Amino acid sequence: MSIEEKTPEDLPHDFVMDIAKPYLGKFISTPSDWTPLKNRKVFFKENPAVKPNPDPWQFENFLFVG
């Protein structure tokens, strides 16, 4: 039996959010200048030759690879 690798995009987000919303409280949407690369910290050893993608919203910029 093989385990298929999944990423967050593969999750049934509507189903998960329907269950989670009552526990999360009020949702507020406000403008922000935050990006995945802003104040980026390295939590695991990374290949120094690999630089973050200049487009900050690419998933590879905040995907932990083990």
Side-chain angles (χ1 to χ4, degrees), residues 8-22 24 27:
E9 288 85 8
D10 298 323
L11 293 173
H13 64 277
D14 290 331
F15 173 75
V16 172
M17 289 305 295
D18 286 343
I19 294 170
K21 277 183 183 177
L24 296 175
F27 281 78

Side-chain angles (χ1 to χ4, degrees), residues 8-62:
E9 288 85 8
D10 298 323
L11 293 173
H13 64 277
D14 290 331
F15 173 75
V16 172
M17 289 305 295
D18 286 343
I19 294 170
K21 277 183 183 177
Y23 302 96
L24 296 175
K26 187 176 179 181
F27 281 78
I28 300 171
S29 178
T30 60
S32 172
D33 65 348
W34 180 87
T35 73
L37 298 180
K38 189 172 190 171
N39 303 320
R40 184 174 189 263
K41 292 181 175 62
V42 177
F43 293 102
F44 302 97
K45 288 184 180 180
E46 297 181 9
N47 182 345
V50 176
K51 301 291 182 206
N53 188 312
D55 177 359
W57 294 104
Q58 294 303 309
F59 187 64
E60 66 193 34
N61 285 329
F62 50 102

